[in-house]
Amino acid sequence: MASTTMRSWQRYRSVPIVYRIGVAFVLGSVFGLVVGQPATALQPLGDIFVNLLSMLIVPIVVFTLLMGARRLSPSNLGKIGGQVVALYALTSAAAVGFGLLVANLIDPGANLELGDAEPQTAEAPDIVEVILGIVPQNPIGAMASGDILPTIFFVIVFGLALALVEQSADSPDIRDGVESFYNLAEAGAEAMFKVVWGVMEYGVIGVFALMAAVFGEAGVDAIVPFALLIATLLIAVLAHIAVVHLGIFVRLLAGQSPIGFLTGGRDALITALSIRSSSGTLPVTMANADDNFHIDEGVYSFSLPLGATINMDGTALYQGVAAIFAANLVGVQLSIAEQVTVVLVAVLASVGAAGVPGTGLIMLTLVLTQLGLPLEVVGFVAGVDPILDRLRTMTNISGDLAVTTVVAKWNDAIDFTRGAWVGESGDTGVAAGDD
């Protein structure tokens, strides 16, 4: 009996967590539709999942951003490094803008009620208050109260200061101390990843309960908003890639054909769409940059690994869409200042986001917390996240290659007379692997 149970558990665990959550999403929805109002009794099990997500927010921000600041050490921020980081920040900000724009036009979630959940903020701050609020008067207090934007700001500044100290200190003890600090942050991040794994394991139950409760309350009227959420993200992703990556970066700044860009980067884009991992796609992305785009290794060997770490165009774009979706669920309208806050949180949080399992969902908790919107939304969208994540990752990779192409042109580090730019075959022969 015990061996049978163990084998069943192992078979269950062999299925990727995102698919198990997807099944929980479907089964919970069906259960809620069939059982009706009594299914709302499962709501406390979903609330536990929401509370667990809340517990992760501040530690994840602190540890992962310190690791991100370590990668952005001053020694790496020369001419090319500065251009890469600035363009990554701009594309991420533009991505959130596209997400907000399309979501405001389509209004996903407007016809779905989120039970008794309510926004936690009574009055929206103006833009000046948002900007002033970035700098915390008491960083420890900001962390304790879960105030995300000032926490992100402080941790990035502190992390870069540590990098400066390590680079300039004469004393080996000080340098060793900084290295120990970074190692502690890395160990903390790894520990938090284990906690995230455990939370996501419970998320199978939590998502089932949340969906059973919402469909038990709302009935079949809850189906359309989720389809609309996927359609909204797809439209925003295509618009961002077409306008920013292909139109502005490839055509305007690099002076090249968008078709050539898509042909040369097709292996990386298809791989990203398949395995849903920017880091896992990195070998293919670098192969495309070298073999198809003929970019100098000195550029892409820095820009692409860094992009897999901090350039989260698709993930940032998704935060804009999901923020409007969440606001609609509780019947509020985000002010301009609050939408600016979404942009700031998404761009700053992307510095450390790549190392986090379930990046889009974790970043979403940061955005919702900053806006005072209910975290139950995270459980709702977790079920369709495998679809959303593929679109996000493909957008991330497109942004990495577009920025790398422009920076390579600015530094005479690319040959536009060969490869995909002149219609040669873009097949690198690199096979997609597993994440």
Side-chain angles (χ1 to χ4, degrees), residues 245-307:
H245 297 167
L246 300 181
I248 297 177
F249 276 69
V250 175
R251 171 59 74 187
L252 185 61
L253 297 180
Q256 298 300 312
S257 165
I259 300 300
F261 176 82
L262 292 174
T263 301
R266 69 186 180 195
D267 294 336
L269 296 175
I270 292 173
T271 302
L273 197 63
S274 302
I275 70 173
R276 306 179 359 259
S277 169
S278 295
S279 298
T281 306
L282 185 58
V284 186
T285 312
M286 296 180 78
N288 283 174
D290 189 9
D291 298 338
N292 300 345
F293 292 154
H294 295 283
I295 298 172
D296 287 356
E297 185 178 1
V299 173
Y300 75 72
S301 64
F302 170 79
S303 65
L304 293 179
L306 185 65

Side-chain angles (χ1 to χ4, degrees), residues 1 329 337:
M1 179 65 177
L329 291 184

